[in-house]
Amino acid sequence: VSTQSTGILKMSEVYKIAAAALERILQKKASIKTAIFNDNINNNNNSKTTKSVFALVSETLKFCSIIDQVIELTPTAKKDFLNVSKYLIYIVLYDFLFGKKQISGGGILKKKILNNKTQLLSSVVRLKIKAKARTDLELLPLHLRNTIKLPKYIRVNSIKIDIDTVFTSLQQSFPEAQYDELFPNFLITLPNDSDLHENKLILNGSIVIQDKASCIPAVVLNPSQNSFVIDTCAAPGNKTSHLAAIMNNTGRIFAFEKDSKRVIILRKTIQRTGVTNVIALHQSFLDSDPNDPKFHQVEFILVDPSCSGSGIVGRIEDLINEDGSSEEINQPEANEDQRLTNLSAFQISVLLHACKFPNVKRISYSTCSIHEQENEMVVEKLLKQTNNKWKLEKIIPNWHRRGLDKYSFGKDCIRTIPNEDNTTGFFVACFVKADQINLNQNLQSKSQSQSQSQSKSQSKSQSKSQSKSQSKSQS
């Protein structure tokens, strides 16, 4: 769109700012927060305008694929929109069709939309009939309709700071701050609407905004200090930096990321959080050689592969990844079965490749999905295809929600449900090499045997001592 156009200049300033932010987000040049709060796009605007832009962009992102379908069903509008920025179209059409149901200000685009008003509205009706949707909201995938407001979880980066110092600092601005019940040693909960985008602890990497469920994989993998670890699909790096904190920044973590833009984000996360034990590798984990000498000491592998994202509840942070890339949130669901089949095939391939590393002992597997096909079914395939060389460890026993009962191993896995557990929908399992379990059981059995032997010896000694004492007393 020519910014010289008088029509464009008459348009609402909020629309223009929102379109500029949306363009940077969808082109993966900025995260949502950076595009709206930190970019130069709206540096001269007040907080009221910024909040309006944030709300408009957030809602538009949910409806982008729906708007694309509406335009495809409306040939006259598609022709009229040829020379107009698609980002501006997304913003203004969202407001007209699904938002306020009207267009603020003037401008050429408003005229084009109103000229096609009847046809556009008719296309929305056709989409609703096809999807059997009674409302605009029902046009969206289930996870985007969800309006659950989850707490904002703050993971304290122990590499840089201790949790009590952070808690004291946050309480000054957020009196409702609390230590998390499940992970009180590193996680703090804040109200959903807590604004931290300019907080110095965020900016210097002392704290990380990370959902509670997302913290579970690193916790259950539990790599020891000075160990060697692999993070198979690492960007944006939150789990990687969490692993580093658990390891007290010792040992070595090989963090794989095949996407060139996401690996930059991964490296920025590593740098910001003060992590020094990570080697970021710009390649697919599936292309790695398990017999490469540099991986010989790897004992722990974290597998958190691409998934459907069906456990995500439509929070603004989850509409677009931190690197600006789509999480397939807005993809049409017409081929959902095929999509799940493809995803589960990829997930099992990553797990099977992880099993090839000669000295690996523990593998954590996680998804932000609620689908059995990506969770228990993947676990079952791994156990069968490795001829039961791997077994599941029962993780976080005090967590109430386990895997599906229909599987014998369900009790060993963890599930989370957003509206009941106040966290993203997640699935986590931890594989342990069977011979390692047998070794541990033998060691425990030997230890118990020695303990029982010592107990019997002490009992005999005490009996002899008592007998001698009684003998002396009688004499």
Side-chain angles (χ1 to χ4, degrees), residues 29-44:
K29 293 180 179 178
S31 67
I32 295 175
K33 292 177 181 177
T34 298
I36 295 173
F37 292 107
N38 298 339
D39 274 9
N40 293 326
I41 289 174
N42 60 335
N43 278 352
N44 297 323

Side-chain angles (χ1 to χ4, degrees), residues 448-462:
Q448 289 174 355
S449 178
Q450 289 176 344
S451 176
Q452 289 173 355
S453 177
Q454 289 175 355
S455 177
K456 287 180 180 179
S457 177
Q458 288 175 354
S459 178
K460 287 181 179 180
S461 176
Q462 290 175 354

Side-chain angles (χ1 to χ4, degrees), residues 308-341:
S308 63
S310 54
I312 295 171
V313 294
R315 299 173 306 170
I316 180 63
E317 293 90 344
D318 298 313
L319 292 174
I320 297 289
N321 279 339
E322 288 193 23
D323 65 340
S325 64
S326 169
E327 188 69 40
E328 300 185 74
I329 296 295
N330 268 322
Q331 297 301 311
E333 296 189 357
N335 298 315
E336 183 72 2
D337 289 342
Q338 184 58 50
R339 180 167 170 252
L340 289 177
T341 298

Side-chain angles (χ1 to χ4, degrees), residues 109-168:
L109 181 55
K110 178 176 182 177
K111 183 177 179 181
K112 289 176 181 290
I113 290 173
L114 293 180
N115 285 343
N116 291 277
K117 176 180 178 179
T118 302
Q119 297 94 319
L120 287 167
L121 292 174
S122 175
S123 295
V124 173
V125 171
R126 287 165 64 189
L127 280 179
K128 285 182 178 178
I129 292 172
K130 183 180 179 181
K132 298 180 180 179
R134 293 167 297 175
T135 65
D136 295 340
L137 199 61
E138 289 180 1
L139 286 170
L140 297 174
L142 281 172
H143 52 283
L144 288 185
R145 300 178 206 171
N146 202 325
T147 57
I148 296 172
K149 286 192 173 183
L150 301 179
K152 182 163 288 185
Y153 292 96
I154 307 300
R155 178 173 63 79
V156 177
N157 178 13
S158 59
I159 292 172
K160 288 197 167 191
I161 199 168
D162 66 274
I163 190 167
D164 293 328
T165 300
V166 171
F167 186 79
T168 301

